[in-house]
């Protein structure tokens, strides 16, 4: 028995099954589900415990005010939109954002994607009524299909295996891109895609990339052998998703041979959504026992005492970097709701990373019927978050955003303004509206300015 086992007496990878589990699909064929989970248990882990520990360490530095977390990617990954180019473009925009943040602020950026496993969605309603039919809600490609037919919406466990295999392929490509030359700082110009390069933020990015080139030439002129500096040629990029479908997470949980501790090897970081953070619920029980760094979404209904109890439960050893709290209040409420939570967690002495998700509290349905968010609301919630942190003398540790590298029209606003009538042009998301690459870059420049102050 390892030290952490003793701390969490009674925990096993299956102990969540004795607790109420919110947001689980109603699998019509439990035997088929068990067969799939058995098969998954025999599959190789997607990530390694040592990598998860490295991320905890990096996030520990963020908690201490010595780094910044950039957590970004799809709301939901999709089977149908799976392609090497889409993965490359998403990575590219995240690399661009991190370069903007690092170069403008001098603060190291920890990069975590909502990628290689983000296939399951919590829903506000278990069913959807449309066209005179009442069908199960779409819960992500890991569970059922978006099409509104009884067959498509029937939860199908074989999708869990497909999600696993797509995650493995995605991660394989990400590892190649980040370690095999694509992420080399010498290619900083090449990350600017054409449709971005011609925009105002694209030109601003180009100017910054030229400065970086000049700095690299300067260092070379000083006699530094740039080829020998691994950090200039490779990037550490971590994966994450909401740990929602607990059978999947359990099946990929393995004991680390080095420490004897349990890790959920489906991703480096797992987070608990705003709808599944009940103290006595299955999600908290499951994640309390794995060694990965964890996130918790903190929405408007969060009670300060409950939040502290949650921190105690998920991080009893108060390890810096173990826990990231992601505030998602909505722009109109962040100034009222966040400060008491910042204060309570600080008073309790928990060394958390405070990050801001400025997306999920600002979703609304446009007159055209599309679910959207306005870029101005996103920026405005970020300002409220930075303001609250500054007033409390707490380090604003990161941002959590939904984005894509593609030229979509899902969120309104931005410098090249997306208007209501544009939404239908390229609205491609499986679930929530994402920032396009231009809006994402614009956000990075604005966050860099907030951070510098
Ligand atoms: C999400 O991040 O996609 C999500 C559903 O967020 P939340 O749990 O904060 O609503
Ligand atoms: Co979302």
């Amino acid at each position: 028995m390892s030290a952490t086992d003793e701390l969490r007496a009674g925990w096993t990878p299956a102990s969540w099954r004795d607790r109420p589990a919110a947001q689980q699909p109603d699998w019509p064929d439990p035997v088929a589900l068990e067969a799939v989970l058995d098969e998954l248990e025999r599959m190789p882990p997607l990530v390694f415990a040592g990598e998860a520990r490295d991320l905890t360490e990096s996030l520990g530095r963020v908690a201490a005010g010595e780094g910044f977390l950039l957590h970004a990617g799809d709301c939901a990954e999709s089977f149908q939109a799976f392609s090497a180019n889409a993965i490359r473009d998403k990575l590219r925009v995240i690399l661009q954002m991190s370069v903007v943040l690092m170069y403008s602020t001098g603060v190291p950026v920890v990069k975590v994607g909502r990628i290689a496993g983000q296939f399951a969605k919590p829903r506000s309603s278990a069913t959807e009524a449309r066209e005179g039919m009442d069908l199960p809600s779409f819960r992500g490609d890991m569970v059922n299909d978006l099409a509104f037919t009884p067959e498509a919406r029937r939860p199908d466990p074989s999708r869990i295996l497909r999600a696993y295999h797509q995650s493995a392929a995605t991660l394989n490509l990400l590892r190649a891109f980040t370690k095999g030359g694509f992420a080399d700082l010498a290619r900083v110009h090449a990350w600017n895609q054409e449709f971005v390069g011609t925009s105002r933020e694209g030109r601003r990015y180009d100017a910054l990339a030229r400065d970086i080139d000049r700095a690299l030439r300067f260092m070379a002129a000083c006699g530094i052998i740039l080829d020998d500096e691994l950090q200039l040629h490779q990037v550490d990029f971590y994966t994450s998703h909401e740990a929602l479908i607990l059978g999947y997470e359990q099946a990929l949980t393995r004991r680390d041979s080095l420490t004897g501790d349990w890790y959920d090897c489906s991703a480096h970081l797992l987070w608990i959504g705003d709808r599944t953070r009940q103290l006595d619920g299955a999600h908290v029980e499951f994640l309390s026992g794995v060694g990965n760094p964890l996130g918790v979404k903190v929405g408007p209904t969060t009670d300060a005492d409950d939040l502290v109890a949650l921190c105690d439960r998920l991080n009893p050893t108060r390890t810096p970097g173990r826990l990231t709290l992601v505030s998602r209040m909505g722009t109109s409420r962040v100034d009222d709701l966040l400060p008491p939570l910042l204060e309570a967690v600080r008073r309790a002495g928990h060394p958390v990373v405070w990050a801001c998700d400025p997306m999920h509290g600002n979703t609304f349905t446009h007159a055209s019927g599309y679910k959207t968010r306005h870029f101005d609301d996103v920026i405005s919630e970020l300002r409220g978050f930075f303001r609250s942190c500054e007033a409390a003398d707490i380090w604003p540790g990161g941002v959590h955003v939904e984005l894509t590298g593609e030229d979509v029209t899902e969120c309104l606003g931005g410098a090249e303004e997306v208007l209501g009538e544009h939404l239908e042009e390229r609205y491609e998301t499986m679930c929530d509206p994402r920032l396009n690459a231009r809006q994402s870059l614009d956000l990075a420049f604005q966050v860099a300015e907030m951070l510098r102050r």
Side-chain angles (χ1 to χ4, degrees):
M1 213 187 220
S2 80
T4 6
D5 274 351
E6 271 155 335
L7 266 175
R8 304 189 188 101
W11 185 91
T12 70
S15 56
W16 64 270
R17 293 183 184 271
D18 301 330
R19 312 272 178 136
Q23 296 284 343
Q24 302 305 290
D26 225 340
W27 301 102
D29 185 349
V31 177
L33 174 65
E34 280 319 304
V36 159
L37 297 181
D38 280 351
E39 188 173 345
L40 201 55
E41 262 181 45
R42 294 190 298 271
M43 296 285 164
L46 293 174
V47 306
F48 302 106
E51 298 172 333
R53 278 194 292 274
D54 288 345
L55 177 56
T56 301
E57 236 173 73
S58 298
L59 290 171
R61 287 191 286 277
V62 175
E66 292 156 13
F68 192 75
L69 167 66
L70 174 58
H71 196 173
D74 268 314
C75 179
E77 288 172 271
S78 116
F79 289 167
Q80 192 235 320
F82 180 42
S83 80
N85 287 358
I87 296 166
R88 178 201 60 202
D89 292 347
K90 204 163 301 147
L91 175 66
R92 185 141 74 168
V93 76
I94 294 173
L95 291 176
Q96 283 189 289
M97 292 172 79
S98 78
V99 158
V100 166
L101 285 162
M102 279 201 288
Y103 191 76
S104 317
T105 66
V107 174
V109 171
V110 180
K111 293 162 278 293
V112 182
R114 290 174 62 115
I115 198 165
Q118 177 55 18
F119 288 101
K121 298 311 297 174
R123 303 314 304 247
S124 38
S125 169
T127 55
E128 186 180 349
R130 236 206 282 163
E131 300 154 25
M133 279 190 291
D134 212 16
L135 295 179
S137 292
F138 172 60
R139 289 187 180 274
D141 268 355
M142 186 187 278
V143 176
N144 54 5
D145 192 276
L146 185 58
F148 196 71
T149 67
E151 304 75 55
R153 288 296 173 92
R154 187 182 142 97
D156 171 3
S158 73
R159 291 177 157 264
I160 296 181
L161 280 176
R162 186 160 171 200
Y164 166 83
H165 288 295
Q166 184 168 321
S167 299
T170 302
L171 197 47
N172 181 52
L173 195 62
L174 286 171
R175 290 189 193 277
F177 276 142
T178 52
K179 305 295 178 190
F182 181 82
D184 195 307
L185 206 51
R187 289 177 39 90
V188 66
H189 285 285
W191 301 338
N192 220 2
Q193 297 184 73
E194 231 167 80
F195 76 92
V196 180
T198 51
S199 68
R200 189 191 64 176
E201 27 318 322
R203 287 192 297 274
R204 200 170 165 195
Y205 176 80
D206 253 337
L208 184 142
R210 274 196 300 277
D211 285 350
I212 292 175
D213 276 344
R214 204 172 302 129
L216 289 174
R217 283 198 302 274
F218 172 72
M219 285 194 281
C222 291
I224 297 170
I225 315 290
L226 298 183
D227 281 349
D228 294 350
E229 304 297 326
L230 207 59
Q231 293 95 317
L232 297 176
H233 311 296
Q234 299 191 352
V235 154
D236 288 327
F237 186 84
Y238 296 98
T239 61
S240 74
H241 59 263
E242 177 172 353
L244 189 69
I245 306 298
L246 291 173
Y248 175 77
E249 305 302 336
Q250 178 189 340
L252 286 170
T253 295
R254 310 291 158 82
R255 206 189 259 280
D256 172 31
S257 55
L258 227 62
T259 60
D261 291 332
W262 292 98
Y263 283 82
D264 181 346
C265 297
S266 70
H268 298 109
L269 180 146
L270 287 314
W271 80 83
I272 304 179
D274 195 41
R275 293 164 190 81
T276 47
R277 57 178 161 74
Q278 302 81 10
L279 254 180
D280 299 320
H283 293 82
V284 170
E285 168 63 17
F286 174 73
L287 287 170
S288 72
V290 297
N292 309 60
L294 305 177
V296 177
K297 292 291 204 83
V298 176
T301 59
T302 313
D303 170 83
D305 292 337
D306 287 351
L307 186 59
V308 170
L310 202 50
C311 294
D312 291 340
R313 183 86 203 288
L314 294 174
N315 191 15
T317 54
R318 299 180 186 227
T319 306
R322 156 78 165 169
L323 196 54
T324 296
L325 300 181
V326 187
S327 164
R328 36 88 84 223
M329 300 298 182
T331 180
S332 62
R333 300 212 265 178
V334 59
D335 287 287
D336 290 335
L337 298 178
L338 184 57
L341 302 179
L342 294 174
E343 191 46 44
V345 172
R346 190 230 315 269
R347 212 175 323 115
H350 275 287
V352 303
V353 171
W354 274 105
C356 176
D357 164 358
M359 315 291 294
H360 287 89
N362 296 311
T363 317
F364 66 96
T365 304
H366 182 260
S368 58
Y370 287 98
K371 194 155 82 155
T372 188
R373 294 152 173 163
H374 202 291
F375 187 73
D376 292 349
D377 292 337
V378 169
I379 294 297
S380 151
E381 177 157 357
L382 282 166
R383 288 193 197 291
F385 170 78
F386 274 80
R387 201 158 46 230
S388 300
C389 288
E390 194 184 351
D393 199 21
I394 283 170
W395 174 244
V399 292
H400 182 126
V401 287
E402 289 180 343
L403 56 72
T404 166
E406 278 135 90
D407 190 12
V408 300
T409 53
E410 298 171 6
C411 290
L412 299 170
E416 315 249 307
E417 197 172 359
V418 175
L419 301 169
E421 64 260 36
H422 298 144
L423 289 175
E424 63 175 14
E425 287 171 12
R426 289 179 304 281
Y427 195 95
E428 294 163 13
T429 184
M430 290 287 284
C431 193
D432 289 339
R434 304 160 297 175
L435 301 173
N436 63 33
R438 278 191 300 262
Q439 291 166 328
S440 302
L441 204 49
D442 193 349
L443 178 136
F445 277 113
Q446 299 206 39
V447 168
E449 268 158 38
M450 295 177 212
L451 204 53
R452 250 196 322 247
R453 256 183 258 127

